[in-house]
Amino acid sequence: MNQRAAKNRNEADSQITAQHILRQALDSAEAQVVKQNNNDRPTDYDELLIERQRKRKEFEDRLRRSPYSMSTWLKYAHWEETQQDLIRSRSIFQRALERDYKHVPLWLRYAEMEMRNKNINLARNVWDEAVTLFPRVDQFWYKYIHMEDMLGEYAHVRQIYERWMAWSPDKNAWESYIRFEIRAKELTR
């Protein structure tokens, strides 16, 4: 049997007991809880600025390590939106689109962010660019039309449908167009 033998069996200068280990662990846990509670919310404007700077650096470091991680781009843009910094949020969406403009959820979240913040013309620009680049992605068309319909912009809805119908979409798209015209009470079209 090949067991390792302890080389030095003499008593240590100070013995570590189980009680000592437990007390240290408890003190460490309490210190962590106090630290977490103190860091939950900034107490003044300077702390808020420092916290925002720290969080931005954290996101930028993550993006530097994996620049094609769309989930990180989306989380970062959403975080900036929650900070009410829409200019930064837009900038992040634009940078992400430069990395991967084919990522459909990115376009959806970008337009939805603009809609949530009542930037209708900017949302229109995003939807318009999305349907121009991806005319075969029905979800873009439906959401664009839904937004205009909710705003009561029936002339815009009609224009969007006519652009979409030029691409010869499937039967569901045509049925949606017909339902719209019935709702708008323009059956002669």
Side-chain angles (χ1 to χ4, degrees):
M1 302 211 211
N2 195 4
Q3 289 184 346
R4 287 192 157 165
K7 292 182 181 179
N8 185 356
R9 293 179 188 222
N10 295 333
E11 272 188 34
D13 293 336
S14 64
Q15 292 292 320
I16 299 174
T17 63
Q19 185 178 17
H20 178 53
I21 293 171
L22 289 173
R23 191 176 314 121
Q24 247 184 344
L26 184 61
D27 290 344
S28 175
E30 286 174 357
Q32 283 287 1
V33 168
V34 168
K35 185 177 177 185
Q36 285 176 349
N37 287 340
N38 288 342
N39 288 337
D40 278 353
R41 293 203 173 230
T43 56
D44 64 3
Y45 187 68
D46 290 335
E47 282 185 24
L48 176 64
L49 292 177
I50 291 168
E51 177 62 20
R52 284 180 177 170
Q53 185 178 16
R54 183 194 64 75
K55 192 79 167 168
R56 286 182 181 125
K57 182 178 180 342
E58 185 181 307
F59 276 118
E60 291 293 340
D61 288 344
R62 277 194 233 155
L63 290 172
R64 215 179 288 51
R65 283 192 304 272
S66 57
Y68 292 96
S69 171
M70 287 300 126
S71 65
T72 304
W73 285 104
L74 290 170
K75 287 175 189 171
Y76 189 12
H78 178 70
W79 181 79
E80 287 293 357
E81 181 189 1
T82 62
Q83 300 301 306
Q84 298 301 311
D85 198 340
L86 300 180
I87 294 170
R88 271 189 209 268
S89 184
R90 271 185 216 107
S91 171
I92 292 161
F93 276 116
Q94 290 295 327
R95 287 171 50 206
L97 288 170
E98 287 173 9
R99 290 284 179 191
D100 184 6
Y101 74 94
K102 294 180 181 179
H103 192 72
V104 171
L106 188 58
W107 288 97
L108 294 171
R109 298 272 292 277
Y110 187 12
E112 289 167 358
M113 182 270 299
E114 295 294 5
M115 289 170 22
R116 253 191 320 275
N117 291 288
K118 297 176 178 58
N119 297 317
I120 302 306
N121 286 330
L122 293 173
R124 280 182 180 132
N125 293 344
V126 174
W127 287 128
D128 194 55
E129 192 173 349
V131 298
T132 301
L133 289 172
F134 305 101
R136 299 287 180 201
V137 178
D138 292 347
Q139 191 174 15
F140 290 152
W141 293 102
Y142 283 122
K143 288 200 176 250
Y144 190 10
I145 289 166
H146 180 69
M147 179 188 81
E148 294 292 354
D149 196 14
M150 296 301 290
L151 294 169
E153 296 286 344
Y154 298 129
H156 284 149
V157 173
R158 196 166 284 111
Q159 287 174 346
I160 297 165
Y161 268 121
E162 287 169 4
R163 276 178 63 193
W164 190 13
M165 296 308 122
W167 286 96
S168 302
D170 66 359
K171 184 177 109 176
N172 293 336
W174 286 98
E175 289 173 354
S176 174
Y177 188 19
I178 292 167
R179 283 193 303 273
F180 164 72
E181 290 297 352
I182 290 170
R183 259 192 348 266
K185 294 182 175 49
E186 293 223 9
L187 299 176
T188 57
R189 289 184 156 266

